[in-house]
Structure formats: structure tokens, C-alpha cells
Amino acid sequence: MSNLSIFKIGIGPSSSHTLGVVIAGNLFCAKARDKIKLDSLNRIKVTFYGSLSLTGKGHLSDKAIIWGLSGCKARELDSTTQESILKKALESKKLDFGGFKEIDFNYKSDLVFSKEFAPLHQNALKIEAFSIDNRILLEEIYYSIGGGFVMNEVELKKYRENPNSQEKSKNLALDFNSAKECLALCEANKWNLAELSYEYELQFHTKEEIRSYCFEIWEAMQESYYNGIHPKSLYLPGSLNLKRRAVGLSERLVMSSDPMAIIDFISLYAIAIAEENASGGRVVSAPTNGACAVVPAVMLYLKNHSVGFNDGRIMDFLLTAMLIGSLYKKNASISGAEAGCQAEIGSASSMAAAAMATSMGASAKVACNAAEIAMEHHLGLTCDPVGGLVQIPCIERNAFGAIKAISASRMAMSRKSTPIVNLDDIIKTMYETGKDMNAKYKETALGGLAKTIVC
Ligand code: SF4
């Protein structure tokens, strides 16, 4: 399976609760068009379970399902389209199902926030289509497993049985499922991680497709930073009434002669993008929306504060980051609802650390060590979003994820000793820690800061 889907252009604030829900809505529309007679469709009911129910409203899952069921693709959802669809659904009480049939819609009765958890994953939603005489025409449960990846029950069961058994991967000449296998391939072929990732992707895409994907992603990341420092509103949506900080930080930094200002610049890049995500703006999930600012903040640091971050290095950076992200996705989790924030900010920091090292000329061994160091110091990080919003602690956490990635990268590149812990060990440990973590700390807003700070 290609790893180009590790980065996805979509909307904030959450890849599992917003982007994944839009995608689930799109999938249901496509299935309904194939399976049922649309003339008999009368209404749709959506039931959110687990974390999607507990923090769904703060993460805009209720709005996301309306956009998804209206047939809108996440990457095309600008603010005008978002508002016009919501206005129609909430004020006129009409939903343009899949863009092919207008049906009645009642927010209060058609969207249900259940206290139950679905059996296979913390993020689940059931979508049902009813006929005029109230018969179920179609029913599907979708699981949003993190990073905007969505599976139905059958697909997730198969994936759970063996995450590495991707049908398409069976006959690949070049394949890997662990850091150890990556390192063996790199050693045999004298590649770094970016070269391995590139050769791997060439089994699925042309050179031009890989290049244009990387630059489209980089363009969208820079655009989200620009929008973050030029916001339409100085306040973020939601009950916290949180003031955006990136604008003020960027104004103050212009005049700064502080030798530590570099740290503030890295924070600025991350905070601006994370605030854009929290506002529901267009961002790149990397590998998730909650952690969307870590990778671009490190890239902006290299672009603005180092020499020679050219097109080749940008490609190396993104190719390496997606390869490391794929190892977390295959062997652990990139979902805060499944393994806490260590799976989101930790994975993003690990990806960025290896990517920075590779783009600066590090070998695969050194880059894997950078990825390991970055994750090692995120182990145990809980997910406890205040008010169920992707704001506190999420926004600042992106800044720390980026700073740790840069530190990890530099530590790995300058070390003279042999590491004791390897990348596969840390990925396994992160997942085990996540499984042991109390459900209160896995994107339910029932514990930690979310409980201390009541809003
Ligand atoms: S605490 Fe971390 S995992 Fe949880 S919503 Fe915020 S960024 Fe995502």
C-alpha cells in the first residue's frame, strides 16, 4: 500500500473526528447510490459512539457528517461552502444527500450521541438510511481509526487480524513492515530513508506523481501557516473563547534580538498552523489534524533558518516522514482515541525528527535513531482536550513536538555512542502504553486537564 495517504489535505480540527467523519459520510453516499433506490430514501440517522460521541461536538463531528452526507470532499470544503451547507441543514432543515437527492433533516433527532462504545474502536459512527415507511434501506458502521483513515466493520476486522497483510503488498518487489527491515534494505542498497521511501512509492506512482504530491502537500502546509498569521477572527471557535496567539507572536518576533528567538520562531510556526486547524481551517493532517503543525513547523524552521532547504531536501523530508508515519500506522496507532496523544504528537515528532536528519544528510541508521529519541520523550502523553476542543493542550503541544523533533534530530546526528533502544522497540512500547492507558485519557475529555479545567 502506498504511503502517500499519510499526509492528507482536509479541514480541522480533527482527522479522526472531522476529516474521517466527512469521509464516512462520503462513503455512505457512494454506497447508497449503488445499493438503494434513491426515490424511496426519506431520511438519514447517524449515531456517534465512544470518543466520537464524547468529544464529537467540540471536534465538529456533527457538522462534518452534514458536509460528508452532502457529498462534499474535505479538501474542497472552503468556509463559504461549509456555511451554506450548514445553513440549509440547520435553518431550512434540508440535506442535499450526496448531492443527488434533497431530504428532510432534523439535527436533534437525526444525530444521536450515544454513551456506548462500539466493539472495534473508540471512534465509531453508524449511518442508517430509512424509507418513507420507516424501513432501514441501508446501514453501515464506520470506524475512524486516526489520520483520516476510515474502515467499515469487515475491513477493520481484517486489519485488526493482520495489519501488515495489505493485499496489494503481497507481490511487491520492495516491501517492509518494520524499522529493522527498512535498515536492512537501506544497508543492502546504500540508500537513506528518503531513497527507500521513493523506491517504494515508485511501485505505485510515477516520479511526477510523487513529486507533485509532495509539493502540493508542502504548498498546503505553507498556506495554512500564512492563514494562521492572517486569521479572519482573533478568537478561536468554542466555549473557551481562546484568543489566537500567532499574530501577536509574529509581530513581536520581527523586532526581537533575543538569541533564543529561534525557539519562538519554531513555536510561532506550530502555533499558527495548530490555531488554523482549531478554527476548522484547511490544513494537512500529518499524520493527524491534532498534530498537524509539528511536521510543517520543522520544515519552516529549515526553510527560514538553515541554508539549502531546496526542492530535493523538501522531497527527502516528506518521503522520510511518510515512511516513519507508516511504521506507526502499521505497528501501533496514530489515533489519540486509541493510544493517547503520544500516538499523535509523538508520532508526528518522530516523523519530523527522522525527516530533518535525512534532509540534512543523515544515514538511515541515524535517522531511525532520531525518530526513536523523539518518541521516547513523548511516551505516556495523554489526550485530555479541555472542553473537547482541539485547543488546550493541543496547540502548544504542537510547538513542543516540533522543538523536541529538532532536538532529537540534532542529538542523533551528533551522537558517538551506540543507541540501546531501537525504533521498533519504541513503536511497540508506545502502543502497549496506549493500550494500558485509562480510557479517561484517550480523547474522551473525561480526565486530566479536561476534568480540572471545567468550561
Ligand atoms: S491532546 Fe493530543 S491527541 Fe488529544 S486532541 Fe489534542 S492533539 Fe489530539
Side-chain angles (χ1 to χ4, degrees):
M1 186 185 185
S2 164
N3 293 324
L4 295 199
S5 54
I6 290 288
F7 295 116
K8 290 189 192 68
I9 300 172
I11 48 161
S14 165
S15 45
S16 53
H17 290 52
T18 325
L19 177 59
V21 172
V22 173
I23 293 169
N26 294 163
L27 290 170
F28 189 79
C29 291
K31 191 160 188 182
R33 193 167 50 181
D34 285 350
K35 300 269 178 199
I36 63 174
K37 284 189 185 144
L38 289 170
D39 288 349
S40 47
L41 175 66
N42 183 44
R43 77 182 171 93
I44 298 287
K45 181 179 164 194
V46 180
T47 308
F48 295 101
Y49 297 99
S51 172
L52 279 193
S53 171
L54 288 161
T55 56
K57 286 187 185 168
H59 288 50
L60 307 190
S61 305
D62 50 347
K63 293 178 178 170
I65 195 61
I66 295 171
W67 296 322
L69 288 173
S70 301
C72 290
K73 302 282 174 278
R75 58 184 299 143
E76 293 154 8
L77 265 171
D78 55 47
S79 55
T80 314
T81 315
Q82 290 179 18
E83 278 160 31
S84 75
I85 293 172
L86 290 178
K87 199 168 176 213
K88 188 170 178 180
L90 303 178
E91 291 176 20
S92 313
K93 299 191 182 245
K94 295 284 178 198
L95 187 75
D96 201 7
F97 179 72
F100 30 77
K101 177 163 186 192
E102 190 175 89
I103 55 172
D104 291 337
F105 176 77
N106 184 322
Y107 180 96
K108 282 194 178 145
S109 57
D110 293 340
L111 298 189
V112 177
F113 292 85
S114 168
K115 287 192 175 128
E116 291 170 22
F117 278 73
L120 298 184
H121 195 278
Q122 290 80 349
N123 295 330
L125 70 161
K126 180 166 78 178
I127 311 181
E128 296 163 287
F130 291 91
S131 64
I132 297 162
D133 54 355
N134 225 20
R135 274 180 305 112
I136 294 180
L137 300 170
L138 182 66
E139 173 185 330
E140 188 80 81
I141 294 187
Y142 293 103
Y143 291 92
S144 182
I145 63 166
F149 292 93
V150 177
M151 294 181 186
N152 65 24
E153 219 163 349
V154 177
E155 290 163 342
L156 185 55
K157 270 184 187 158
K158 254 195 215 167
Y159 184 74
R160 282 264 183 269
E161 279 162 22
N162 186 357
N164 299 326
S165 73
Q166 308 283 350
E167 281 84 0
K168 283 186 188 167
S169 297
K170 280 182 182 158
N171 301 318
L172 292 177
L174 183 64
D175 203 4
F176 47 81
N177 288 310
S178 65
K180 191 178 172 194
E181 288 172 15
C182 290
L183 287 172
L185 284 164
C186 286
E187 196 174 326
N189 294 286
K190 299 199 175 2
W191 289 332
N192 62 24
L193 288 184
E195 288 166 322
L196 170 61
S197 181
Y198 189 59
E199 293 296 328
Y200 178 77
E201 291 305 328
L202 282 174
Q203 299 174 114
F204 306 95
H205 308 281
T206 64
K207 288 180 182 174
E208 194 39 49
E209 282 166 352
I210 299 168
R211 187 182 161 81
S212 55
Y213 169 81
C214 287
F215 286 100
E216 189 187 11
I217 291 297
W218 176 221
E219 196 62 40
M221 286 173 167
Q222 292 179 94
E223 190 186 288
S224 63
Y225 169 61
Y226 178 86
N227 292 337
I229 53 169
H230 298 93
K232 285 186 190 140
S233 162
L234 280 180
Y235 289 85
L236 292 173
S239 53
L240 295 175
N241 202 28
L242 204 65
K243 191 167 182 197
R244 295 173 79 131
R245 289 151 65 189
V247 180
L249 189 52
S250 84
E251 284 165 2
R252 283 195 300 283
L253 271 174
V254 172
M255 298 170 279
S256 177
S257 57
D258 180 351
M260 291 300 284
I262 191 72
I263 298 287
D264 298 337
F265 273 108
I266 300 161
S267 298
L268 164 67
Y269 304 142
I271 288 172
I273 297 169
E275 285 180 345
E276 195 51 21
N277 176 61
S279 75
R282 189 173 183 262
V283 295
V284 178
S285 57
T288 65
N289 276 41
C292 71
V294 175
V295 167
V298 176
M299 292 181 80
L300 285 164
Y301 156 75
L302 289 171
K303 179 190 164 196
N304 296 335
H305 308 277
S306 76
V307 180
F309 194 58
N310 55 24
D311 286 2
R313 288 194 179 176
I314 290 164
M315 291 267 296
D316 285 352
F317 191 106
L318 291 170
L319 283 161
T320 305
M322 67 179 79
L323 180 148
I324 298 293
S326 78
L327 296 178
Y328 281 101
K329 182 170 170 280
K330 277 180 195 172
N331 300 315
S333 171
I334 53 169
S335 161
E338 194 179 8
C341 198
Q342 50 167 6
E344 296 208 11
I345 295 284
S347 299
S349 187
S350 184
M351 288 160 64
M356 174 172 153
T358 305
S359 76
M360 295 183 80
S363 67
K365 234 182 187 173
V366 171
C368 281
N369 183 230
E372 184 283 312
I373 295 172
M375 175 53 84
E376 193 174 311
H377 304 290
H378 283 94
L379 283 183
L381 193 66
T382 57
C383 170
D384 52 358
V386 175
L389 299 161
V390 192
Q391 298 179 7
I392 300 173
C394 321
I395 294 169
E396 287 177 359
R397 215 164 253 188
N398 275 270
F400 284 103
I403 291 165
K404 279 193 202 176
I406 295 167
S407 283
S409 190
R410 293 174 65 92
M411 270 186 210
M413 284 191 288
S414 61
R415 95 180 286 161
K416 298 276 180 261
S417 59
T418 308
I420 301 278
V421 186
N422 67 45
L423 181 54
D424 290 325
D425 292 334
I426 211 77
I427 292 174
K428 184 171 180 271
T429 306
M430 184 274 273
Y431 194 38
E432 293 299 324
T433 307
K435 284 193 280 186
D436 288 342
M437 209 179 260
N438 190 301
K440 285 194 289 189
Y441 304 109
K442 295 198 271 193
E443 214 163 349
T444 54
L446 295 174
L449 261 185
K451 202 173 167 202
T452 313
I453 312 293
V454 180
C455 53

